[in-house]
Amino acid sequence: MTESFEPALTKTTRQVFFEGVHDGTPIALGYFVVSFTLGIAARNAGLDPLQGFLASFFNNASAGEYAGFTVIAADAPYLEIILITLVANARYMLMSCALSQKFPAGTSIWHRIFVGFDVTDEIFGITIARKGPLNPYYNYGAMALALPGWAFGTALGVVAGNILPPSVVSALSVALYGMFLWVIIPPAKKNRIVGGLVLASFALSYLASVMPMLSTLSGGTRTIILTIVIAGLGAAFFPIPEKANSDETQKGEDA
């Protein structure tokens, strides 16, 4: 049975859904471009177009998927693939907790599950910025374009990797690293702590690859260990002040 969210939002479900479609259109276009280069990594890991499509449909996360494709290419065990994907995508659990506070009372568990299925950085951003209670049909509208855009882009990237010359495939593989630089450079420029942690991760990643004991571990296992250690140290020694948390919350409510 369809729930009514009109009293809380004074809009029909159809209106809210198409608002999500409108706001999700540029996200879908961006996802298509980025996931195309991700498809090259999937192809290098031995996935076919259908497998690449399903991987992106059920795990809509560039960092998580790239980490997964990397350990798949290294013929890692299933447990390592699960752990590295969980660690790389751990931030989405925090985003889901934040979104859960915006649901109106009485929202069914199914709406909460389906909204949580596709919590990404971009969809979280447009959702948390909306005024009032969260109507899940807004997220469904954004997901209706963003999720297929990501999945089809990955599948086409796999296809392109199979038919393009090796030199072009190599160039497209490098483009994926450029995407990650674009992700980390802006926050690193704004916050010196983030920038320091990024540089520390580069240095520690290199040291882990040459140190006697750690170098014997697989790349995926080293990534899991370093992610947990660096994130834990950052949270312990550089916690966000309580005032900053309250200010950010107030900004979200005023947006």
Side-chain angles (χ1 to χ4, degrees):
M1 182 175 64
T2 303
E3 299 179 18
S4 176
F5 294 86
E6 295 177 21
L9 300 177
T10 66
K11 292 181 180 178
T12 66
T13 296
R14 184 175 183 276
Q15 287 175 317
V16 174
F17 178 86
F18 280 104
E19 285 179 0
V21 170
H22 176 271
D23 294 346
T25 298
I27 294 176
L29 295 174
Y31 279 180
F32 183 84
V33 174
V34 173
S35 64
F36 185 87
T37 60
L38 187 66
I40 301 298
R43 177 261 184 188
N44 293 338
L47 274 68
D48 60 34
L50 178 59
Q51 292 169 333
F53 177 90
L54 294 175
S56 282
F57 188 87
F58 290 106
N59 183 20
N60 193 353
S62 57
E65 282 189 64
Y66 180 73
F69 293 153
T70 300
V71 293
I72 289 173
D75 199 24
Y78 290 133
L79 179 60
E80 185 172 311
I81 297 173
I82 293 170
L83 287 176
I84 196 169
T85 304
L86 176 63
V87 170
N89 292 340
R91 68 187 187 279
Y92 296 125
M93 291 188 284
L94 298 177
M95 295 181 187
S96 296
C97 289
L99 287 181
S100 70
Q101 305 305 307
K102 288 178 65 70
F103 279 113
T107 303
S108 76
I109 186 63
W110 295 110
H111 281 306
R112 296 174 186 271
I113 290 174
F114 290 137
V115 168
F117 172 73
D118 198 29
V119 175
T120 66
D121 299 333
E122 295 76 16
I123 293 180
F124 172 80
I126 62 174
T127 303
I128 205 71
R130 285 175 65 83
K131 296 180 180 179
L134 169 59
N135 187 325
Y137 287 93
Y138 175 79
N139 289 65
Y140 299 157
M143 293 162 56
L145 291 183
L147 187 55
W150 184 260
F152 279 110
T154 304
L156 290 178
V158 176
V159 173
N162 288 330
I163 62 177
L164 292 175
S167 58
V168 177
V169 173
S170 177
L172 289 173
S173 299
V174 173
L176 189 62
Y177 294 100
M179 178 198 71
F180 286 118
L181 290 175
W182 175 82
V183 170
I184 64 175
I185 287 177
K189 290 173 64 178
K190 293 179 181 178
N191 189 309
R192 287 182 294 179
I193 295 175
V194 173
L197 291 174
V198 169
L199 293 176
S201 68
F202 290 161
L204 292 175
S205 179
Y206 170 74
L207 290 176
S209 67
V210 297
M211 291 177 65
M213 293 183 61
L214 291 178
S215 62
T216 60
L217 301 176
S218 67
T221 301
R222 291 200 302 268
T223 300
I224 293 170
I225 295 173
L226 288 174
T227 301
I228 294 174
V229 170
I230 295 172
L233 291 175
F237 290 101
F238 306 104
I240 299 175
E242 190 64 29
K243 185 178 184 302
N245 278 329
S246 60
D247 289 344
E248 289 298 321
T249 302
Q250 186 63 39
K251 288 179 182 178
E253 293 175 353
D254 294 341

